[in-house]
Amino acid sequence: MSSLKGGVGKTTVALGLASAAFSRGLRTLVVDLDPQSDVSTGMDVNPEEYSNISQVLEKPQTVRAAIAPSGWNKHHEGLIHLLVGSPSAINFDVPHPTIREIWKLEEALAIVEADYDLVIIDCAPSLNALTRTAWAASDRVLVVTEPGFFAVAAADRALRAIEEVRRGISPRLEPLGILINRARPQSTEHQFRIKELKDLFGSLVLSPQLPERTSLQQTQGAAKPVHLWPGETAQEMAGYFDEVLDQVVASANIDAGVVRPTTRRTVDSAFVAEEEPVGEDTAVTDADQ
């Protein structure tokens, strides 16, 4: 999960996609690579009880000690784990990492990936080492954007940077697509920017576009998955995230046989890297992110 512009709701989308995978029965690992660690909070995990991503980037073989069961598991029959985030991860977000540093996360995930059907990595808000480390460990990048002028330019920069990483570091890497978040159908500006994105990027622009809904902020505040949150708007958003998950499953060739039918229930009264602008000097070498 990445974006080259802050404030587009990348972490919100990561949590929504994780909720869809959890609800459907996919064995899911969410990696909190963002030093803000908002995914760890949203998945109801106490980070004090586990190691964290910083220790894993230092010593990849310690990865199992940094993986925690999400509190979501208490509310639904499923399996979703979190590789716990940490503000200390910012120390690894250097502008000129070595190739060895870039492959640290891939090395760690190789130890545990057989335990999961899907791994979701919430990237850091820079195009430095952490995001390139995430991309090197990934098969696909989902670029999250919003229908605004600067976000359109950021999506273009993201796709160019992904291609550079693919050519220079990881040939398996491909963009999954561009997911438009916080769209307002009644906004003329939003509709203009959505058309602009489609004109520029064609089939890479995914459907559906995600509307802006306060229910997502409510679920995050309660540290619950949107699929188990009561109310029509929450279930509307859950349906949108199901559609996004369908595209992830198809793109990654995940065996549909492992997926249990989606079951939704409400709870008791409770339940791809945002980055700085990338310049023209982003050629991928062992000095890049």
mmCIF file of all heavy atoms in Angstrom, residues 241-272:
data_model
loop_
_atom_site.group_PDB
_atom_site.id
_atom_site.type_symbol
_atom_site.label_atom_id
_atom_site.label_comp_id
_atom_site.label_asym_id
_atom_site.label_seq_id
_atom_site.Cartn_x
_atom_site.Cartn_y
_atom_site.Cartn_z
ATOM 1 N N PHE A 241 -14.506 -2.616 -0.280
ATOM 2 C CA PHE A 241 -13.229 -3.273 0.010
ATOM 3 C C PHE A 241 -13.235 -4.734 -0.442
ATOM 4 O O PHE A 241 -12.195 -5.268 -0.824
ATOM 5 C CB PHE A 241 -12.893 -3.156 1.493
ATOM 6 C CG PHE A 241 -12.443 -1.780 1.900
ATOM 7 C CD1 PHE A 241 -13.141 -1.054 2.855
ATOM 8 C CD2 PHE A 241 -11.330 -1.195 1.321
ATOM 9 C CE1 PHE A 241 -12.739 0.222 3.221
ATOM 10 C CE2 PHE A 241 -10.910 0.078 1.687
ATOM 11 C CZ PHE A 241 -11.616 0.786 2.640
ATOM 12 N N ASP A 242 -14.397 -5.371 -0.418
ATOM 13 C CA ASP A 242 -14.504 -6.722 -0.973
ATOM 14 C C ASP A 242 -14.148 -6.721 -2.457
ATOM 15 O O ASP A 242 -13.467 -7.634 -2.950
ATOM 16 C CB ASP A 242 -15.927 -7.262 -0.795
ATOM 17 C CG ASP A 242 -16.243 -7.669 0.634
ATOM 18 O OD1 ASP A 242 -15.287 -7.928 1.402
ATOM 19 O OD2 ASP A 242 -17.437 -7.730 0.987
ATOM 20 N N GLU A 243 -14.610 -5.697 -3.178
ATOM 21 C CA GLU A 243 -14.313 -5.610 -4.606
ATOM 22 C C GLU A 243 -12.819 -5.388 -4.849
ATOM 23 O O GLU A 243 -12.235 -5.944 -5.789
ATOM 24 C CB GLU A 243 -15.122 -4.492 -5.251
ATOM 25 C CG GLU A 243 -16.619 -4.731 -5.286
ATOM 26 C CD GLU A 243 -17.360 -3.622 -6.011
ATOM 27 O OE1 GLU A 243 -16.971 -3.313 -7.161
ATOM 28 O OE2 GLU A 243 -18.314 -3.057 -5.439
ATOM 29 N N VAL A 244 -12.199 -4.576 -4.001
ATOM 30 C CA VAL A 244 -10.752 -4.369 -4.123
ATOM 31 C C VAL A 244 -10.023 -5.680 -3.836
ATOM 32 O O VAL A 244 -9.080 -6.055 -4.551
ATOM 33 C CB VAL A 244 -10.281 -3.254 -3.170
ATOM 34 C CG1 VAL A 244 -8.752 -3.120 -3.240
ATOM 35 C CG2 VAL A 244 -10.937 -1.925 -3.514
ATOM 36 N N LEU A 245 -10.464 -6.396 -2.808
ATOM 37 C CA LEU A 245 -9.836 -7.674 -2.476
ATOM 38 C C LEU A 245 -9.956 -8.663 -3.637
ATOM 39 O O LEU A 245 -9.016 -9.406 -3.922
ATOM 40 C CB LEU A 245 -10.451 -8.264 -1.216
ATOM 41 C CG LEU A 245 -9.898 -9.629 -0.804
ATOM 42 C CD1 LEU A 245 -8.417 -9.542 -0.455
ATOM 43 C CD2 LEU A 245 -10.685 -10.200 0.376
ATOM 44 N N ASP A 246 -11.103 -8.666 -4.307
ATOM 45 C CA ASP A 246 -11.263 -9.550 -5.462
ATOM 46 C C ASP A 246 -10.157 -9.316 -6.486
ATOM 47 O O ASP A 246 -9.624 -10.259 -7.081
ATOM 48 C CB ASP A 246 -12.627 -9.319 -6.120
ATOM 49 C CG ASP A 246 -13.787 -9.865 -5.304
ATOM 50 O OD1 ASP A 246 -13.550 -10.731 -4.436
ATOM 51 O OD2 ASP A 246 -14.932 -9.421 -5.529
ATOM 52 N N GLN A 247 -9.809 -8.045 -6.694
ATOM 53 C CA GLN A 247 -8.774 -7.717 -7.671
ATOM 54 C C GLN A 247 -7.392 -8.110 -7.167
ATOM 55 O O GLN A 247 -6.527 -8.528 -7.946
ATOM 56 C CB GLN A 247 -8.857 -6.227 -8.005
ATOM 57 C CG GLN A 247 -10.162 -5.873 -8.709
ATOM 58 C CD GLN A 247 -10.398 -4.380 -8.826
ATOM 59 O OE1 GLN A 247 -9.834 -3.729 -9.690
ATOM 60 N NE2 GLN A 247 -11.241 -3.832 -7.973
ATOM 61 N N VAL A 248 -7.176 -7.996 -5.865
ATOM 62 C CA VAL A 248 -5.907 -8.435 -5.285
ATOM 63 C C VAL A 248 -5.764 -9.945 -5.439
ATOM 64 O O VAL A 248 -4.710 -10.453 -5.854
ATOM 65 C CB VAL A 248 -5.832 -8.031 -3.799
ATOM 66 C CG1 VAL A 248 -4.599 -8.659 -3.137
ATOM 67 C CG2 VAL A 248 -5.794 -6.519 -3.652
ATOM 68 N N VAL A 249 -6.824 -10.682 -5.105
ATOM 69 C CA VAL A 249 -6.802 -12.135 -5.198
ATOM 70 C C VAL A 249 -6.534 -12.576 -6.634
ATOM 71 O O VAL A 249 -5.720 -13.473 -6.891
ATOM 72 C CB VAL A 249 -8.137 -12.719 -4.693
ATOM 73 C CG1 VAL A 249 -8.274 -14.190 -5.067
ATOM 74 C CG2 VAL A 249 -8.249 -12.549 -3.179
ATOM 75 N N ALA A 250 -7.203 -11.928 -7.589
ATOM 76 C CA ALA A 250 -7.010 -12.285 -8.993
ATOM 77 C C ALA A 250 -5.591 -11.967 -9.457
ATOM 78 O O ALA A 250 -4.949 -12.762 -10.149
ATOM 79 C CB ALA A 250 -8.026 -11.556 -9.860
ATOM 80 N N SER A 251 -5.075 -10.809 -9.071
ATOM 81 C CA SER A 251 -3.749 -10.396 -9.504
ATOM 82 C C SER A 251 -2.659 -11.287 -8.929
ATOM 83 O O SER A 251 -1.670 -11.594 -9.597
ATOM 84 C CB SER A 251 -3.500 -8.942 -9.103
ATOM 85 O OG SER A 251 -2.191 -8.537 -9.426
ATOM 86 N N ALA A 252 -2.848 -11.708 -7.679
ATOM 87 C CA ALA A 252 -1.821 -12.497 -6.993
ATOM 88 C C ALA A 252 -2.006 -13.994 -7.180
ATOM 89 O O ALA A 252 -1.237 -14.785 -6.631
ATOM 90 C CB ALA A 252 -1.823 -12.157 -5.505
ATOM 91 N N ASN A 253 -3.068 -14.390 -7.926
ATOM 92 C CA ASN A 253 -3.339 -15.810 -8.138
ATOM 93 C C ASN A 253 -3.480 -16.578 -6.827
ATOM 94 O O ASN A 253 -2.979 -17.689 -6.680
ATOM 95 C CB ASN A 253 -2.236 -16.452 -8.993
ATOM 96 C CG ASN A 253 -2.201 -15.887 -10.397
ATOM 97 O OD1 ASN A 253 -3.246 -15.710 -11.026
ATOM 98 N ND2 ASN A 253 -1.008 -15.593 -10.890
ATOM 99 N N ILE A 254 -4.141 -15.948 -5.857
ATOM 100 C CA ILE A 254 -4.395 -16.625 -4.588
ATOM 101 C C ILE A 254 -5.434 -17.709 -4.811
ATOM 102 O O ILE A 254 -6.453 -17.488 -5.464
ATOM 103 C CB ILE A 254 -4.874 -15.619 -3.526
ATOM 104 C CG1 ILE A 254 -3.753 -14.613 -3.227
ATOM 105 C CG2 ILE A 254 -5.299 -16.324 -2.250
ATOM 106 C CD1 ILE A 254 -4.158 -13.495 -2.308
ATOM 107 N N ASP A 255 -5.175 -18.882 -4.283
ATOM 108 C CA ASP A 255 -6.074 -20.016 -4.478
ATOM 109 C C ASP A 255 -7.422 -19.716 -3.853
ATOM 110 O O ASP A 255 -7.543 -19.556 -2.641
ATOM 111 C CB ASP A 255 -5.462 -21.266 -3.841
ATOM 112 C CG ASP A 255 -6.297 -22.516 -4.078
ATOM 113 O OD1 ASP A 255 -7.366 -22.408 -4.719
ATOM 114 O OD2 ASP A 255 -5.892 -23.590 -3.598
ATOM 115 N N ALA A 256 -8.462 -19.624 -4.684
ATOM 116 C CA ALA A 256 -9.796 -19.323 -4.172
ATOM 117 C C ALA A 256 -10.292 -20.405 -3.235
ATOM 118 O O ALA A 256 -11.196 -20.187 -2.432
ATOM 119 C CB ALA A 256 -10.783 -19.158 -5.320
ATOM 120 N N GLY A 257 -9.678 -21.582 -3.316
ATOM 121 C CA GLY A 257 -10.122 -22.670 -2.452
ATOM 122 C C GLY A 257 -9.863 -22.431 -0.985
ATOM 123 O O GLY A 257 -10.489 -23.059 -0.127
ATOM 124 N N VAL A 258 -8.918 -21.523 -0.685
ATOM 125 C CA VAL A 258 -8.632 -21.262 0.714
ATOM 126 C C VAL A 258 -9.579 -20.231 1.292
ATOM 127 O O VAL A 258 -9.555 -19.956 2.479
ATOM 128 C CB VAL A 258 -7.182 -20.756 0.916
ATOM 129 C CG1 VAL A 258 -6.196 -21.740 0.334
ATOM 130 C CG2 VAL A 258 -6.988 -19.375 0.304
ATOM 131 N N VAL A 259 -10.411 -19.640 0.451
ATOM 132 C CA VAL A 259 -11.250 -18.532 0.891
ATOM 133 C C VAL A 259 -12.610 -19.045 1.332
ATOM 134 O O VAL A 259 -13.332 -19.661 0.570
ATOM 135 C CB VAL A 259 -11.423 -17.502 -0.240
ATOM 136 C CG1 VAL A 259 -12.229 -16.316 0.249
ATOM 137 C CG2 VAL A 259 -10.061 -17.045 -0.745
ATOM 138 N N ARG A 260 -12.955 -18.763 2.577
ATOM 139 C CA ARG A 260 -14.276 -19.121 3.052
ATOM 140 C C ARG A 260 -15.251 -18.043 2.638
ATOM 141 O O ARG A 260 -14.882 -16.876 2.502
ATOM 142 C CB ARG A 260 -14.277 -19.255 4.585
ATOM 143 C CG ARG A 260 -13.449 -20.413 5.082
ATOM 144 C CD ARG A 260 -13.805 -20.726 6.523
ATOM 145 N NE ARG A 260 -13.524 -19.607 7.397
ATOM 146 C CZ ARG A 260 -12.360 -19.439 8.014
ATOM 147 N NH1 ARG A 260 -11.388 -20.291 7.828
ATOM 148 N NH2 ARG A 260 -12.167 -18.428 8.820
ATOM 149 N N PRO A 261 -16.533 -18.362 2.427
ATOM 150 C CA PRO A 261 -17.512 -17.336 2.052
ATOM 151 C C PRO A 261 -17.547 -16.214 3.074
ATOM 152 O O PRO A 261 -17.400 -16.435 4.270
ATOM 153 C CB PRO A 261 -18.837 -18.103 2.018
ATOM 154 C CG PRO A 261 -18.439 -19.528 1.813
ATOM 155 C CD PRO A 261 -17.117 -19.691 2.529
ATOM 156 N N THR A 262 -17.731 -15.009 2.561
ATOM 157 C CA THR A 262 -17.793 -13.849 3.437
ATOM 158 C C THR A 262 -18.998 -13.948 4.356
ATOM 159 O O THR A 262 -20.108 -14.202 3.937
ATOM 160 C CB THR A 262 -17.903 -12.555 2.607
ATOM 161 O OG1 THR A 262 -16.786 -12.495 1.729
ATOM 162 C CG2 THR A 262 -17.932 -11.337 3.495
ATOM 163 N N THR A 263 -18.750 -13.764 5.644
ATOM 164 C CA THR A 263 -19.844 -13.717 6.611
ATOM 165 C C THR A 263 -19.722 -12.422 7.371
ATOM 166 O O THR A 263 -18.647 -12.073 7.850
ATOM 167 C CB THR A 263 -19.773 -14.889 7.602
ATOM 168 O OG1 THR A 263 -18.498 -14.872 8.241
ATOM 169 C CG2 THR A 263 -19.975 -16.217 6.893
ATOM 170 N N ARG A 264 -20.805 -11.703 7.485
ATOM 171 C CA ARG A 264 -20.770 -10.430 8.186
ATOM 172 C C ARG A 264 -21.710 -10.487 9.364
ATOM 173 O O ARG A 264 -22.782 -11.060 9.297
ATOM 174 C CB ARG A 264 -21.198 -9.290 7.262
ATOM 175 C CG ARG A 264 -20.217 -9.056 6.152
ATOM 176 C CD ARG A 264 -20.576 -7.799 5.416
ATOM 177 N NE ARG A 264 -19.777 -7.722 4.199
ATOM 178 C CZ ARG A 264 -20.143 -7.058 3.155
ATOM 179 N NH1 ARG A 264 -21.267 -6.406 3.131
ATOM 180 N NH2 ARG A 264 -19.367 -7.027 2.096
ATOM 181 N N ARG A 265 -21.300 -9.860 10.424
ATOM 182 C CA ARG A 265 -22.166 -9.716 11.570
ATOM 183 C C ARG A 265 -21.732 -8.455 12.297
ATOM 184 O O ARG A 265 -20.559 -8.084 12.248
ATOM 185 C CB ARG A 265 -22.050 -10.927 12.499
ATOM 186 C CG ARG A 265 -20.636 -11.174 12.975
ATOM 187 C CD ARG A 265 -20.575 -12.360 13.905
ATOM 188 N NE ARG A 265 -19.186 -12.572 14.313
ATOM 189 C CZ ARG A 265 -18.812 -13.491 15.163
ATOM 190 N NH1 ARG A 265 -19.689 -14.294 15.689
ATOM 191 N NH2 ARG A 265 -17.556 -13.632 15.497
ATOM 192 N N THR A 266 -22.633 -7.840 12.945
ATOM 193 C CA THR A 266 -22.261 -6.664 13.721
ATOM 194 C C THR A 266 -21.834 -7.135 15.103
ATOM 195 O O THR A 266 -22.109 -8.242 15.519
ATOM 196 C CB THR A 266 -23.447 -5.697 13.848
ATOM 197 O OG1 THR A 266 -24.556 -6.412 14.349
ATOM 198 C CG2 THR A 266 -23.786 -5.126 12.490
ATOM 199 N N VAL A 267 -21.121 -6.237 15.790
ATOM 200 C CA VAL A 267 -20.590 -6.590 17.090
ATOM 201 C C VAL A 267 -21.550 -6.173 18.167
ATOM 202 O O VAL A 267 -22.550 -5.543 17.918
ATOM 203 C CB VAL A 267 -19.275 -5.851 17.313
ATOM 204 C CG1 VAL A 267 -18.197 -6.453 16.494
ATOM 205 C CG2 VAL A 267 -19.448 -4.424 17.045
ATOM 206 N N ASP A 268 -21.173 -6.467 19.368
ATOM 207 C CA ASP A 268 -21.923 -5.966 20.498
ATOM 208 C C ASP A 268 -21.890 -4.464 20.298
ATOM 209 O O ASP A 268 -21.264 -3.979 19.441
ATOM 210 C CB ASP A 268 -21.209 -6.332 21.801
ATOM 211 C CG ASP A 268 -20.798 -7.768 21.758
ATOM 212 O OD1 ASP A 268 -21.493 -8.512 21.097
ATOM 213 O OD2 ASP A 268 -19.801 -8.115 22.348
ATOM 214 N N SER A 269 -22.256 -3.663 21.074
ATOM 215 C CA SER A 269 -22.340 -2.279 20.710
ATOM 216 C C SER A 269 -20.996 -1.694 20.311
ATOM 217 O O SER A 269 -20.893 -0.553 20.078
ATOM 218 C CB SER A 269 -22.933 -1.507 21.844
ATOM 219 O OG SER A 269 -22.433 -1.970 23.047
ATOM 220 N N ALA A 270 -19.970 -2.429 20.293
ATOM 221 C CA ALA A 270 -18.705 -1.933 19.777
ATOM 222 C C ALA A 270 -18.112 -2.912 18.754
ATOM 223 O O ALA A 270 -18.520 -3.991 18.681
ATOM 224 C CB ALA A 270 -17.725 -1.782 20.897
ATOM 225 N N PHE A 271 -17.258 -3.355 17.860
ATOM 226 C CA PHE A 271 -16.708 -4.607 17.075
ATOM 227 C C PHE A 271 -15.869 -5.532 17.839
ATOM 228 O O PHE A 271 -14.928 -5.717 17.668
ATOM 229 C CB PHE A 271 -16.209 -4.227 15.749
ATOM 230 C CG PHE A 271 -15.316 -5.198 14.929
ATOM 231 C CD1 PHE A 271 -15.774 -6.274 14.458
ATOM 232 C CD2 PHE A 271 -13.995 -5.124 14.648
ATOM 233 C CE1 PHE A 271 -14.978 -7.167 13.680
ATOM 234 C CE2 PHE A 271 -13.201 -5.965 13.857
ATOM 235 C CZ PHE A 271 -13.707 -6.921 13.419
ATOM 236 N N VAL A 272 1.054 0.508 -0.876
ATOM 237 C CA VAL A 272 1.329 0.423 -1.419
ATOM 238 C C VAL A 272 1.986 1.130 -1.360
ATOM 239 O O VAL A 272 3.060 1.170 -2.590
ATOM 240 C CB VAL A 272 0.349 -0.051 -2.026
ATOM 241 C CG1 VAL A 272 1.128 -0.825 -2.234
ATOM 242 C CG2 VAL A 272 -0.248 -1.795 -2.380
#
